[in-house]
């Protein structure tokens, strides 16, 4: 079983930056594909970014490309989401998610919440203008 705990959310002005962290429990972190999703009020949960457990492959939704960076530190069992040039549209609850260890999946599946086996509780990010 994997436990995920997000931190780093808060209130920032438009144009500012935040770094979200996700701490994972267990011994299989290095074999977990990790993703970030977000959910704004009145909207469905949407994919933000993903980093595979092998190969250093990352994915981003178009609206955050060039602004957000996903990374991981396997020694610390953490995944990060560095968010720059934040916009009001980025306001949402951000969720960390993990794919089960050693699971094989194509790039298209990384965008689907159903791929993920573990979810954190979420952390609020609010961007003011």
């Amino acid at each position: 079983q994997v436990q995920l705990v997000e931190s780093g959310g808060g209130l920032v002005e438009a144009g500012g930056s935040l770094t979200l962290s996700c701490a994972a429990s267990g011994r299989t972190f290095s074999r977990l594909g990790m993703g970030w999703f977000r959910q704004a009020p009145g909207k469905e949960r949407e994919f933000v970014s993903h980093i595979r457990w092998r190969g250093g492959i990352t994915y981003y939704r178009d609206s955050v490309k060039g602004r957000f960076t996903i990374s991981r530190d396997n020694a610390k069992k953490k995944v990060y989401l560095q968010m720059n040039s934040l916009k009001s549209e980025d306001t949402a609850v951000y969720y960390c998610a993990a794919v089960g260890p050693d699971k094989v999946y194509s790039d298209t599946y990384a965008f689907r919440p159903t791929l993920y086996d573990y979810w954190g509780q979420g952390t609020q990010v609010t961007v003011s203008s």
Side-chain angles (χ1 to χ4, degrees), residues 106-128:
S106 64
D107 56 348
T108 58
Y109 283 84
F111 299 88
R112 305 180 182 182
T114 53
L115 172 68
Y116 299 84
D117 300 293
Y118 309 99
W119 293 84
Q121 82 288 350
T123 185
Q124 176 71 46
V125 173
T126 302
V127 184
S128 65

Side-chain angles (χ1 to χ4, degrees), residues 77-89:
K77 297 194 293 184
K78 289 186 176 181
V79 62
Y80 306 95
L81 186 68
Q82 174 67 47
M83 304 184 294
N84 298 322
S85 302
L86 284 162
K87 307 174 181 179
S88 60
E89 306 96 276

Side-chain angles (χ1 to χ4, degrees), residues 66-97:
R67 299 190 298 121
F68 291 11
T69 302
I70 189 171
S71 62
R72 66 190 298 160
D73 186 330
N74 289 342
K76 296 181 178 179
K77 297 194 293 184
K78 289 186 176 181
V79 62
Y80 306 95
L81 186 68
Q82 174 67 47
M83 304 184 294
N84 298 322
S85 302
L86 284 162
K87 307 174 181 179
S88 60
E89 306 96 276
D90 297 316
T91 295
V93 176
Y94 283 70
Y95 297 90
C96 178

Side-chain angles (χ1 to χ4, degrees), residues 4 10 31-32 35 39 49 52-53 64 69 74 81 102 110 123:
L4 304 174
R31 291 147 52 200
L32 305 179
Q39 188 167 19
S49 186
R52 285 185 174 268
W53 67 272
V64 308
T69 302
N74 289 342
L81 186 68
D102 301 316
T123 185

Side-chain angles (χ1 to χ4, degrees), residues 12-79:
V12 297
E13 294 185 352
S17 299
L18 279 177
T19 298
L20 305 183
S21 298
C22 176
S25 67
R27 302 178 180 179
T28 62
F29 179 78
S30 64
R31 291 147 52 200
L32 305 179
M34 302 295 299
W36 287 97
F37 287 77
R38 67 188 183 187
Q39 188 167 19
K43 298 179 64 178
E44 295 293 318
R45 187 169 300 187
E46 65 181 16
F47 171 80
V48 177
S49 186
H50 183 92
I51 183 166
R52 285 185 174 268
W53 67 272
R54 63 192 303 180
I57 303 298
T58 59
Y59 310 97
Y60 300 91
R61 70 179 298 108
D62 288 343
S63 62
V64 308
K65 288 180 179 177
R67 299 190 298 121
F68 291 11
T69 302
I70 189 171
S71 62
R72 66 190 298 160
D73 186 330
N74 289 342
K76 296 181 178 179
K77 297 194 293 184
K78 289 186 176 181
V79 62

